Amino acid sequence: MTTQNISPSTLAEAANRSNREPSSRTDAAGHVDFALDTLNTYASLGRVRTYQERQSNSGNPDIFDRLERVAESEDWGGPTPDPSDDLGVLRYYVHRRFDRAIFEEMVFPDTESLLSVFNSGLVTARQDDIYGLFVPNTHTDNPPWYFRGWHVSGDQQLSSFAELPAPAAYSVEPGEYFLDWNRPLRFSSYYFAQSFSRQFPNAVREIPYGIELAVDAAVARSLKMAKRNPGTAVPSWNHAKGEIQLLLPMFFTDPEIPCAALSVSRGPESYQASEVISMDRAYRRARLVARPCASWLTTTRECS
């Protein structure tokens, strides 16, 4: 799609329609609804290929295929990939990153070039920023914008923008990304035993009181590991709550293979354990903030 037949009035309508989106993300109390998928309401993305099409190399490359090709090499299936979606982590990343960019007002429209742009947060192998570019959608019954493609910094397609957006930030407080072991961690092993038992191995669940004891031991070990190696606590973004959380490994049946991750929120004086999540969800949340380096989260192993 080209911009030559798109009038300024079309752009204005697209901008007006998309600018209404952030306000619709709040409820009656003014709380942000992070569950909305902003990207699909902002722009038409074109047809997305199925896993079978990618495996057979059929169909035209879609928005995710094209981003995978231009970004520096990474396994976007994650350590334990979904057999039916080898780009599952990338899909989640793009949608949640755009949500944050909208919330931070880091999606820039340009009235003269009839374009809008956001920073994907990803880079090429040469560390050039990658931007998503949109043109106004001429079909008024569809989302206001149409996704045009991915472009790197310095690309002629981006030259009309006086300023390009920075990657959307999740927090401006550096302390939120690191575990301060001088702060106490508050949690209820009984609550986790009742609320998240499905995340624990069968061997633990078979003992009525076993989950509570296992949670106590797993948390104590994780805190000990984090104190010895600060890289154990992995920063992540909880999209539903709209906050940075730290992830800690939970070991139950094997001293080297974590079965789940504990998400921890930072309070004024202490940390609060929030929930126990699967390793897949932990990796996806962590990848929103940065490419995870902790071996407990990046190594592909099965927990029995």
Side-chain angles (χ1 to χ4, degrees), residues 14 35 39-40 45 114 130 135 148 163 167 177 241-242:
L39 182 57
N40 282 328
L45 306 181
L114 308 181
I130 302 173
V135 297
R148 184 172 184 178
E163 179 185 5
Y177 295 90
K241 292 188 175 182

Side-chain angles (χ1 to χ4, degrees), residues 44 50 90 104 127 146 151 168 183 189 212 285 289 301:
S44 294
T50 65
L90 182 60
E104 292 274 300
Q127 302 305 297
Y146 184 90
H151 300 273
R183 292 170 176 250
S189 55
E212 293 183 51
R285 289 185 184 183
V289 177
R301 289 175 293 187

Side-chain angles (χ1 to χ4, degrees), residues 44-114:
S44 294
L45 306 181
R47 185 179 181 277
V48 176
R49 288 203 301 171
T50 65
Y51 173 77
Q52 290 76 15
E53 286 176 321
R54 289 199 307 278
Q55 290 299 297
S56 62
N57 198 28
S58 59
N60 295 323
D62 60 30
I63 175 177
F64 305 104
D65 296 320
R66 285 178 277 163
L67 181 56
E68 180 195 26
R69 293 176 184 179
V70 70
E72 65 179 337
S73 180
E74 185 170 345
D75 182 2
W76 287 107
T80 54
D82 183 340
S84 64
D85 190 0
D86 57 345
L87 294 182
V89 175
L90 182 60
R91 295 176 194 275
Y92 183 83
Y93 176 92
V94 170
H95 282 273
R96 297 289 81 83
R97 265 284 177 170
F98 188 82
D99 283 343
R100 189 62 183 172
I102 282 286
F103 182 71
E104 292 274 300
E105 298 184 350
M106 297 300 287
V107 182
F108 292 178
D110 184 90
T111 55
E112 293 185 5
S113 63
L114 308 181

Side-chain angles (χ1 to χ4, degrees), residues 128-188:
D128 293 319
D129 286 343
I130 302 173
Y131 300 89
L133 195 62
F134 304 92
V135 297
N137 195 340
T138 57
H139 301 285
T140 57
D141 292 336
N142 292 322
W145 297 91
Y146 184 90
F147 181 77
R148 184 172 184 178
W150 302 106
H151 300 273
V152 301
S153 52
D155 194 310
Q156 183 66 28
Q157 298 288 339
L158 304 175
S159 62
S160 61
F161 290 92
E163 179 185 5
L164 289 171
Y170 293 106
S171 174
V172 296
E173 174 53 55
E176 292 193 26
Y177 295 90
F178 303 95
L179 181 71
D180 179 0
W181 52 77
N182 292 317
R183 292 170 176 250
L185 172 60
R186 307 191 189 284
F187 69 98
S188 167

Side-chain angles (χ1 to χ4, degrees), residues 185-197 200 209 211-217 219 250 262-264 271-276:
L185 172 60
R186 307 191 189 284
F187 69 98
S188 167
S189 55
Y190 174 77
Y191 167 74
F192 284 113
Q194 297 297 313
S195 303
F196 302 102
S197 62
F200 304 128
Y209 188 45
I211 297 181
E212 293 183 51
L213 297 177
V215 169
D216 285 333
V219 172
M250 301 286 279
L262 179 70
S263 62
V264 175
Y271 290 102
Q272 179 66 50
S274 176
E275 59 182 330
V276 177

